[in-house]
Amino acid sequence: VKCRRCREPAIIEIRRHNAAFCTECFVRHCRDQVAKAIHDFDMVQPGERVLVAVSGGKDSLGLWDMLLDLGYEADGLYLGLGIGEPDGYSDTSAAFARAFAQRRGAPLRTIDLPTDYGYDIPAGSAAARRAPCSACGLSKRHLFNTAALEGDYQAVATGHNLDDEAAVLFGNVLRWNTDYLGRQLPVLPGGRGFVRKVKPLVRLGEREMAAYCVVRGIDYIVEECPMAVGNKHLGYKEALNAIEDQSPGSKQAFYFGFLDRASAHFRPEAVAEQAGLHPCPTCGSPTTSEVCAFCSLVTRATAAPDPQPVRMARARRRS
Amino acid sequence: VKVLLRNPRRELDIDGPLRVQVLIQRLGLNRESVLVIRGDTLVPGDVVLDDGDTVEIRPVISGGAVELPGTP
């Protein structure tokens, strides 16, 4: 297979573009797609500071690499989730994030949930009776927003790629979660206590992001998060990849078709929900509930276990 | 051809020569879900692997926290 641009031997085929690229042209392709997404969706303006949500995985490290190469002032923020034993998943992913930051000479800020907030995702999510991925997403959403406000960043950039967005859309359509559909956008504007959130990787699939890291020599955590194994999101990705294999371009058509032709129908519901926002009395973050979801999570995740009623404890011993 | 697989880590020996795309099919994998790496270089589907080659089949799907665009 030859590179579509320069006719040198190709290293990767991208079937949805009916194209193949050599190493040099592939890196250029990835940067062009990120630059196009940033431009088309007005994600970041010249001179703005960007905080990149860094996990140590291929998407966030690849995104950070491209933003730096495109000339953006992009700092990283790593959130320690306390997943796995010492030297396990969280420690390993943190090491990849630190190594990348050092190699690029880029600032990396760190928040550690167990040290700074007194809970980790496995135990905290169980205590709060939330799914681990839900507690993790909630923690990230709150802490990245807060850190960006405090650090005077104009945007938070996340490594959500085309596959992520197509899978989330698939799940929301399957269940007609119309409130989520109204907010599934590549850019969520800032204001009223929110920093702008941008997803510059929406034009790149995760196979491209893994390939980008390989050709750029970026080491990242390949192992799947142990808390995510078997979740619905992974199932949606598998289903979409089965379709993509038969019909290349389906994921892109699904997601960008939604943005072009359907997204606006669901916006009023999302906008109406924003009208009920007020500051959380505990932390000041915007919320539509009495106390924000993050403060509720911290309270429940760090609370002492409820004492068991005597009758229930006896019944359990008998069984 | 020595084939290194991840999640869980394991090794297989498969008779060569064979094309990368045939190897992926034979392993029952979706070509959208993996990369094939020889040494530190990506190899596309039409490359022929010979006995003596070692390749890594790297999964590319990740599905951690799904950050639904909610309010904090």
Side-chain angles (χ1 to χ4, degrees), chain A residues 125-293:
Chain A
S125 61
R129 295 180 184 171
R130 270 182 174 268
C133 293
S134 162
C136 180
L138 167 58
S139 303
K140 286 177 174 175
R141 202 159 56 235
H142 175 89
L143 292 169
F144 285 125
N145 191 65
T146 306
L149 286 172
E150 289 172 357
D152 199 23
Y153 294 91
Q154 283 73 52
V156 170
T158 60
H160 293 94
N161 57 46
L162 174 61
D163 291 69
D164 294 320
E165 293 304 297
V168 169
L169 177 61
F170 189 63
N172 286 337
V173 169
L174 272 182
R175 295 174 189 281
W176 292 114
N177 294 326
T178 51
D179 50 343
Y180 286 150
L181 287 170
R183 285 176 275 155
Q184 195 181 344
L185 298 166
V187 177
L188 289 172
R192 303 187 66 183
F194 292 112
V195 171
R196 186 187 328 135
K197 295 194 184 66
V198 301
K199 300 174 182 175
L201 298 183
V202 290
R203 300 188 60 84
L204 291 167
E206 60 188 339
R207 187 166 170 272
E208 285 156 280
M209 288 312 299
Y212 177 84
C213 288
V214 171
V215 302
R216 290 279 294 148
I218 298 170
D219 288 329
Y220 65 91
I221 188 156
V222 175
E223 280 66 38
E224 181 54 88
C225 172
M227 309 302 293
V229 172
N231 75 10
K232 274 190 293 193
H233 190 64
L234 286 171
Y236 297 150
K237 283 187 172 181
E238 282 180 21
L240 287 171
N241 273 345
I243 296 169
E244 185 82 11
D245 191 37
Q246 298 296 314
S247 178
S250 294
K251 285 183 287 195
Q252 183 162 326
F254 180 48
Y255 176 62
F256 284 96
F258 165 75
L259 293 182
D260 288 343
R261 285 178 256 163
S263 173
H265 295 289
F266 301 102
R267 285 296 295 155
E269 192 172 341
V271 170
E273 195 176 277
Q274 294 263 316
L277 285 173
H278 59 85
C280 169
T282 307
C283 72
S285 291
T287 181
T288 52
S289 305
E290 190 179 332
V291 174
C292 81

